[in-house]
Amino acid sequence: ARAELSWSVPLDEPFDHALGGAGPRSTPTVELQELGGDGRVYVVSPWGRFACLAARSGEVLWSHDLLAEHGLTRAREAELVQYGRSNSPLLVGTKMVVVPAGGDPDGAQAGLVAFDRASGERLWASPPRNLSYSSPVFAVLGGVPQILCVNEDSLSAHGPDDGRVLWEHPWPGTTSSDANVSQAVPLGPDRVFVSKGYGGGGLLLALEKDPEGGLVPRVEWRGPRWLR
């Protein structure tokens, strides 16, 4: 049987780039659990409009302009994230949705920002980092729940309750040139893998406990020709 379109909702102005082409960049995140009798869809436009829609009808339940809320004009955004935002929202627990924020380096920049899924209220923002094109990932590593985020030039892990940085490791890149794109991949009980193009290759980190009970990343191996 031929599938029929149930609904279509314009969320933002069109986006195009000479190298990246036209259209949206990120994959919507679909919440199968029904809240208030309806599932939900969370989506980020290339220009940073973050919206929550009713899955059955397409009604926009709430939205945020990530550029405006973090001190960016579209002209400045085009300098910092020239290929358009590609981050997919991450659902954490039963009440929270998390997206990379970015923003003005001299102002309201944040690495990640978390919102209440029902109301759209902002719950926390993590310390300033420019975003990459990667999407955040939830993992339990070393027995510690954490949100992994590949930023413009680092890989960081954040506490789900408040966004604090649990650990961080350099992962060189510039979002408008030799960009980081791939997601971090949790491996086993205490390891994280990340890879990239532009000669970055592959990196495997092992997380070790420090004397105070925190986690410290140690390079297990890295090679510019591995999984590049």
Side-chain angles (χ1 to χ4, degrees), residues 15-39:
F15 183 93
D16 199 358
H17 189 275
L19 296 179
R25 301 292 195 258
S26 67
T27 302
T29 298
V30 179
E31 184 175 35
L32 298 179
Q33 176 187 359
E34 291 196 344
L35 293 177
D38 207 350

Side-chain angles (χ1 to χ4, degrees), residues 30-154:
V30 179
E31 184 175 35
L32 298 179
Q33 176 187 359
E34 291 196 344
L35 293 177
D38 207 350
R40 299 185 181 210
V41 178
Y42 304 87
V43 63
V44 178
S45 79
W47 283 119
R49 187 180 185 200
F50 175 41
C52 171
L53 293 77
R56 200 175 303 277
S57 66
E59 176 190 359
V60 177
L61 303 176
W62 52 260
S63 70
H64 287 270
D65 184 338
L66 296 176
L67 271 62
E69 293 174 18
H70 295 275
L72 289 176
T73 63
R74 291 200 170 186
R76 183 62 172 141
E77 169 83 351
E79 295 175 354
L80 295 173
V81 192
Q82 70 162 316
Y83 301 112
R85 294 186 179 228
S86 305
N87 324 105
S88 294
L90 172 68
L91 303 182
V92 180
T94 60
K95 297 182 178 180
M96 185 188 304
V97 59
V98 178
V99 292
D104 180 3
D106 299 319
Q109 190 180 74
L112 292 172
V113 64
F115 298 95
D116 181 277
R117 277 150 50 180
S119 67
E121 177 187 0
R122 193 170 91 162
L123 302 175
W124 52 254
S126 72
R129 302 287 188 277
N130 191 35
L131 74 164
S132 71
Y133 301 102
S134 176
S135 301
V137 179
F138 179 82
V140 179
L141 297 168
V144 179
Q146 53 199 275
I147 300 170
L148 302 173
C149 183
V150 177
N151 309 299
E152 178 176 55
D153 57 7
S154 70

Side-chain angles (χ1 to χ4, degrees), residues 174-204:
T174 304
T175 299
S176 287
S177 57
D178 57 331
N180 288 326
V181 179
S182 300
Q183 291 176 250
V185 180
L187 296 174
D190 57 6
R191 281 166 170 74
V192 181
F193 174 77
V194 68
S195 65
K196 68 170 291 180
Y198 303 99
L203 168 70
L204 182 68

